Amino acid sequence: MYSKNVLREIDAALAEISPAWNRPFDGKRACYFSAEFLIGRVVTGNFYNLGKTDCLTNLSSELEDVEDVALGNGGLGRLAACFLDSAATKGYPLDGFGLRYHYGLFKQGFNDGFQTESPDDWLKYGDPWSIRREDEKLQIRFGGQTVWAVPYDMPIIGYGGKTVNTLRLWQSEPIIGLEFSAFDRQDYASAFKEQNEAFAISATLYPNDDTDDGKRLRLKQQYFFSSASLRSLFYRHTQSGGKPEDFAEKFAIQLNDTHPTVAIPELLRILVGENEMDFEQAFSVAQKTFAFTNHTIMEEALEKWSTELFSSTLPDVYPYVVMLQNKLRRDLHTKGIYDYNGYNLIDNGRVNMARIASYVSHSVNGVAAIHSEILKATVLKPWYTIYPERFSNKTNGITQRRWLGLCNPGLSKFITERIGGDWITDLDELKKLIPYADDVNSLRQLNEIKRENKVRLADYVRTREDGFTLNPEFAFNLQVKRLHEYKRQFLNALSILDIYYRLKRGEINKSEFSPTAFVFGAKSAPSYRRAKGIIKFVNEIARTVNSDTDVNNLLQILFVRDYNVSYAEKLIPAADISEQISTAGTEASGTGNMKLMLNGAVTLGTYDGANIEIVAESGEENNFIFGARVEDINAAASSYSPVKIYENNSRVRKVLDTLIDGTFSDGGTGIFRELFDSIIKGASWHKPDQYYLLLDFEPYADAKLRAIKAYPDRIAFAHMQLLNIANAGKFSSDRTISQYAEEIWGV
Ligand SMILES: *Cc1c(COP(=O)(O)O)cnc(C)c1O
């Protein structure tokens, strides 16, 4: 809820930025097309960037009551939000384009340890930053349906307030008002149906992360915002006297994953179908306009639409996909390629979106060094073979304004006192902190800041988690991210259970073990059975361990409810250890790892995604890196036998058996047996233990214990933490956005 005081300050802020927001602009603009923007609390970021620190202090409790804007699932949507902040701060003309979902990501609750979901009706509290542009609405046509796309523009204010860009989100509405058509004929059933179907297009965010659920409505959503965005840009271009063939000189469009890829055939349709350009020239314009970012190599996330679904939903667009397919074959022939394997845009009756994006773009990038290499070697190898010059890497980043300046005022002050405040817009400045890693007074102060952040978090947790009391004297170990098998929260849970039993058996000496709180935060896709089972499993372990007086002076376990951006802003500043334990080769980059590093957590992680670059910057000796690398996994794959590990390793057996021996109850759902089977037997089309939990179990347990044992030497631990902070400069999204702007967009 927005209080009157906050609304008054927002009005003042909008008036203040109005000249910068409305300033005419004549150069080339970059456009970030994204189905998700996970922006969190807009108001705090805007006040921060406008220097309204007095508002942040005086209104802090009222700002707490403002809802998160969660128009995204996880990392991909949060990246889009960080990019907007960085571009505006660096003065790049970059606008965001997406969907104005009426309901954002569901709110999570727990019932007997199981996840429950309820709708996120964020608009109920108002949307004071957005301006509805009634005069710029336009009609979007699907097969037999036409709807309004109404743009809502939100200002994106750069730090210092000099540059104000725009996030334009499209809302779908019925064309036919209550007074017309079916209502006229008193055919109320059809009239309401028509209305509901129109509203439905932008009604809900798909709550899946890293999966493609191929639904007609989702394709409609993608086309709806891609087409509306493109057409509004094209209209702006031609209205100001631009020629269709010069479109790419005025606009660069970055596709955030394949979700907006339908914009490619749509631009061809606009150029060829509506502006009578010849196909070859239109192709060239499209190729110069578009650039593609891939976010995953997970097969289940690579979007493919059945031709039947695609052509019936978008009959005006599908012919351009067919024309592309024909042109591609001609292009391949000129290169002497007659085997279309890996190239076909329409393959086995399915339209392959990643291939369209690779073909009709001038730039294809991955989001961390290892990920970009894997792309070239596997999923996009055929395209790398014929267009090597298109491929590059753009390692993700995070905005330090939100993920340090706003969320960790204590640490921000500590830093500014030592090296000045330039880090706010130039994160490489943090390197100047390196000498303080050997200054005991600074390290003591750093520990004190961490403690204060833990106390602050504990107070917050107490009110949100039924009075649960985190002990701020404990080391805080965090795994916060979407729940997915590849991220291996299950492995974390098993290792905690292993520690628990070894403490009970006396195999880990209690006097040597340092008290640790294990905190999880994660939402599972509502339809993802195993992920939901893992949440239940962690909650069962937590119940047992937290109430066991033998160990609860040493261990705490908490799964927080409804992890979101605002919760992350509370949790991350309090973290000592950052769990980044995805199977090598599965996490494209990760950005949670960067937020935690910047806030002084050491990484307990695998050689995966940006973890590799994080430890290259901050030093292996200042982190806890373990486990199989991509090469090891590839080498192990064919002979890997989780059953053998289970049979030969009593610790593994003990913790896995809790799923089937009645130690924990899954309330009769059978999900614990299913989790057990997913490791030991495999299930449906999956191999047993497809994410290699048991392969990494011992190295992980060892590394985790090393990290826990390192903690009591608080000065040595703070030394590692400060070196992580000092070397986090590379992971600013300011750096990432400059690379996109200069190496891809030319803005
Ligand atoms: C940063 C962030 C993520 C991404 O976390 P990863 O660990 O990179 O998967 C997901 N959700 C929220 C709320 C975030 O702030």
Side-chain angles (χ1 to χ4, degrees):
M1 198 70 84
Y2 291 89
S3 70
K4 279 208 181 84
N5 290 325
V6 171
L7 285 173
R8 191 176 316 119
E9 292 299 336
I10 291 174
D11 277 343
L14 283 170
E16 185 182 329
I17 60 161
S18 172
W21 198 16
N22 298 316
R23 197 174 296 142
F25 181 86
D26 192 37
K28 182 176 185 181
R29 292 193 80 82
C31 307
Y32 203 74
F33 279 27
S34 178
E36 302 190 8
F37 287 90
L38 188 57
I39 46 192
R41 284 191 186 118
V42 182
V43 58
T44 53
N46 284 350
F47 284 179
Y48 185 85
N49 284 359
L50 285 172
K52 293 179 179 283
T53 41
D54 50 331
C55 287
L56 289 170
T57 336
N58 302 338
L59 302 175
S60 62
S61 63
E62 289 164 64
L63 291 169
E64 278 290 308
D65 294 336
V66 173
E67 296 292 299
D68 243 48
V69 182
L71 308 184
N73 276 289
L76 174 145
R78 184 54 232 175
L79 183 75
C82 283
F83 280 0
L84 293 181
D85 182 81
S86 283
T89 295
K90 301 220 56 142
Y92 293 119
L94 173 75
D95 299 317
F97 293 84
L99 278 150
R100 190 168 192 257
Y101 302 106
H102 191 99
Y103 296 98
L105 186 59
F106 67 86
K107 294 201 170 292
Q108 178 191 54
F110 295 132
N111 181 2
D112 186 30
F114 287 104
Q115 169 174 296
T116 59
E117 300 102 26
S118 52
D120 167 44
D121 191 3
W122 67 284
L123 285 170
K124 177 168 80 183
Y125 302 104
D127 178 16
W129 293 101
S130 295
I131 295 181
R132 180 180 167 105
R133 304 279 188 202
E134 193 68 41
D135 51 325
E136 290 188 57
K137 71 181 183 185
L138 36 90
Q139 297 192 353
I140 303 292
R141 255 160 41 100
F142 304 95
Q145 184 188 23
T146 306
V147 301
W148 283 120
V150 186
Y152 281 74
D153 287 353
M154 189 185 284
I156 301 296
I157 306 167
Y159 186 80
K162 282 213 283 288
T163 300
V164 181
N165 292 329
T166 300
L167 171 57
R168 169 164 282 197
L169 300 177
W170 297 93
Q171 174 166 291
S172 64
E173 296 178 12
I175 298 269
I176 296 161
L178 293 174
E179 62 278 32
F180 301 118
S181 142
F183 278 104
D184 260 5
R185 303 192 308 273
Q186 304 210 335
D187 179 2
Y188 294 106
S190 325
F192 283 124
K193 186 162 173 285
E194 215 168 289
Q195 294 228 327
N196 289 338
E197 283 173 2
F199 283 122
I201 291 168
S202 64
T204 54
L205 167 76
Y206 278 81
N208 303 322
D209 196 58
D210 269 297
T211 58
D212 156 36
D213 76 4
K215 298 251 173 70
R216 184 183 297 264
L217 184 57
R218 194 168 171 123
L219 179 59
K220 279 188 175 177
Q221 288 189 332
Q222 297 184 349
Y223 179 70
F224 172 77
F225 92 89
S226 301
S227 172
S229 307
L230 255 187
R231 284 172 48 204
S232 73
L233 294 173
F234 195 78
Y235 183 76
R236 209 185 298 171
H237 177 63
T238 50
Q239 279 300 297
S240 60
K243 297 195 195 112
E245 56 269 31
D246 297 335
F247 184 71
E249 268 120 73
K250 288 291 182 182
F251 295 102
I253 298 176
Q254 191 69 38
L255 304 172
N256 195 25
D257 214 325
T258 51
H259 316 141
T261 296
V262 67
I264 289 173
E266 172 67 0
L267 180 58
L268 296 174
R269 189 194 63 77
I270 293 169
L271 295 174
V272 176
E274 294 182 0
N275 289 272
E276 287 153 17
M277 194 181 283
D278 79 52
F279 184 78
E280 288 295 325
Q281 189 180 12
F283 180 91
S284 157
V285 171
Q287 192 177 37
K288 280 187 232 149
T289 302
F290 290 105
F292 166 48
T293 303
N294 170 284
H295 283 269
T296 182
I297 52 162
M298 310 268 287
E299 187 54 38
E300 59 266 43
L302 294 170
E303 290 190 305
K304 295 167 190 126
W305 301 102
S306 87
T307 50
E308 188 283 316
L309 177 92
F310 195 110
S311 60
S312 62
T313 310
L314 308 173
D316 301 339
V317 181
Y318 184 69
Y320 292 91
V321 177
V322 175
M323 286 182 240
L324 281 174
Q325 166 85 339
N326 294 335
K327 174 173 163 57
L328 170 66
R329 291 191 172 187
R330 295 194 298 273
D331 288 358
L332 290 174
H333 295 170
T334 64
K335 292 175 186 291
I337 297 171
Y338 294 89
D339 176 1
Y340 309 134
N341 215 340
Y343 291 109
N344 281 322
L345 308 181
I346 303 168
D347 195 17
N348 266 319
R350 295 191 302 170
V351 181
N352 188 310
M353 303 311 275
R355 291 180 188 172
I356 293 178
S358 303
Y359 180 41
V360 197
S361 65
H362 62 280
S363 162
V364 178
N365 74 281
V367 290
I370 185 180
H371 168 62
S372 296
E373 290 306 313
I374 292 173
L375 278 184
K376 293 191 285 185
T378 61
V379 260
L380 297 181
K381 183 174 181 181
W383 301 93
Y384 177 62
T385 310
I386 58 173
Y387 304 127
E389 70 289 348
R390 279 185 200 176
F391 284 73
S392 77
N393 173 55
K394 302 282 173 280
T395 298
N396 282 167
I398 55 168
T399 164
Q400 67 267 33
R401 267 82 56 193
R402 185 166 293 270
W403 296 112
L404 178 55
L406 254 172
C407 75
N408 200 340
L411 181 58
S412 299
K413 181 158 171 282
F414 170 96
I415 295 169
T416 299
E417 277 168 4
R418 284 166 179 75
I419 65 168
D422 289 352
W423 60 269
I424 296 173
T425 51
D426 178 6
L427 203 60
D428 287 325
E429 281 286 303
L430 292 182
K431 285 249 189 272
K432 293 183 181 163
L433 286 173
I434 290 174
Y436 295 98
D438 296 310
D439 171 31
V440 174
N441 270 331
S442 292
L443 297 176
R444 287 213 178 94
Q445 226 173 305
L446 189 63
N447 283 336
E448 186 47 33
I449 291 162
K450 204 43 107 178
R451 215 189 73 86
E452 282 162 11
N453 290 340
K454 290 181 189 180
V455 170
R456 187 168 64 120
L457 174 62
D459 289 342
Y460 186 70
V461 159
R462 202 172 301 113
T463 64
R464 279 199 46 148
E465 315 291 344
D466 310 322
F468 188 92
T469 302
L470 276 170
N471 188 335
E473 304 308 320
F474 281 29
F476 281 18
N477 172 306
L478 259 69
Q479 188 174 22
V480 289
K481 48 183 74 258
R482 283 300 288 266
L483 206 311
H484 202 291
E485 285 165 282
Y486 84 81
K487 291 178 184 278
R488 301 201 296 192
Q489 283 96 345
F490 191 21
L491 176 60
N492 187 357
L494 293 172
S495 80
I496 295 167
L497 204 49
D498 177 54
I499 289 173
Y500 170 66
Y501 287 129
R502 285 161 78 201
L503 280 168
K504 302 262 300 176
R505 291 196 299 262
E507 290 169 24
I508 299 174
N509 194 330
K510 285 187 187 167
S511 62
E512 272 179 48
F513 186 82
S514 68
T516 304
F518 296 98
V519 180
F520 293 79
K523 291 180 187 177
S524 159
S527 62
Y528 190 172
R529 258 183 73 78
R530 285 187 194 168
K532 293 180 114 172
I534 293 166
I535 292 177
K536 170 69 172 170
F537 186 50
V538 173
N539 278 326
E540 286 303 298
I541 297 171
R543 182 155 58 184
T544 300
V545 172
N546 292 339
S547 61
D548 185 339
T549 50
D550 251 11
V551 296
N552 64 10
N553 58 338
L554 293 174
L555 295 179
Q556 288 193 307
I557 304 173
L558 170 66
F559 205 124
V560 302
R561 265 167 238 262
D562 202 39
Y563 175 64
N564 61 11
V565 170
S566 297
Y567 217 143
E569 291 174 33
K570 291 274 188 329
L571 287 160
I572 289 170
D576 295 303
I577 298 170
S578 160
E579 296 264 356
Q580 306 298 337
I581 59 174
S582 52
T583 314
T586 62
E587 185 76 272
S589 164
T591 49
N593 47 5
M594 301 169 184
K595 299 168 196 165
L596 283 149
M597 176 200 201
L598 181 60
N599 283 272
V602 303
T603 299
L604 169 55
T606 46
Y607 291 97
D608 197 24
N611 298 352
I612 295 172
E613 291 161 73
I614 284 174
V615 298
E617 293 294 305
S618 61
E620 290 235 3
E621 68 283 9
N622 299 310
N623 295 285
F624 298 86
I625 304 302
F626 67 90
R629 302 178 185 226
V630 173
E631 313 85 84
D632 303 326
I633 291 199
N634 290 340
S638 60
S639 61
Y640 180 54
S641 169
V643 184
K644 273 203 192 122
I645 300 176
Y646 172 79
E647 283 168 354
N648 297 328
N649 184 324
S650 59
R651 277 166 54 198
V652 166
R653 207 161 53 246
K654 170 80 181 162
V655 294
L656 270 180
D657 281 350
T658 62
L659 288 159
I660 54 166
D661 66 7
T663 305
F664 300 118
S665 162
D666 64 8
T669 60
I671 189 60
F672 284 180
R673 160 63 70 174
E674 226 176 287
L675 286 177
F676 179 88
D677 285 347
S678 75
I679 302 294
I680 298 303
K681 284 202 210 157
S684 50
W685 59 91
H686 294 302
K687 318 186 283 188
D689 196 12
Q690 62 167 334
Y691 295 111
Y692 300 91
L693 277 64
L694 300 195
L695 183 67
D696 278 344
F697 181 86
E698 282 218 29
Y700 173 48
D702 290 350
K704 194 167 196 159
L705 218 51
R706 272 195 289 122
I708 290 171
K709 284 185 175 165
Y711 185 73
D713 186 344
R714 299 302 310 282
I715 293 301
F717 205 87
H719 171 84
M720 296 195 289
Q721 295 188 305
L722 189 51
L723 286 175
N724 270 282
I725 298 166
N727 290 297
K730 174 176 176 185
F731 305 104
S732 170
S733 45
D734 297 352
R735 183 267 312 152
T736 317
I737 213 69
S738 299
Q739 291 180 319
Y740 277 92
E742 269 141 48
E743 295 164 26
I744 301 179
W745 306 329
V747 295

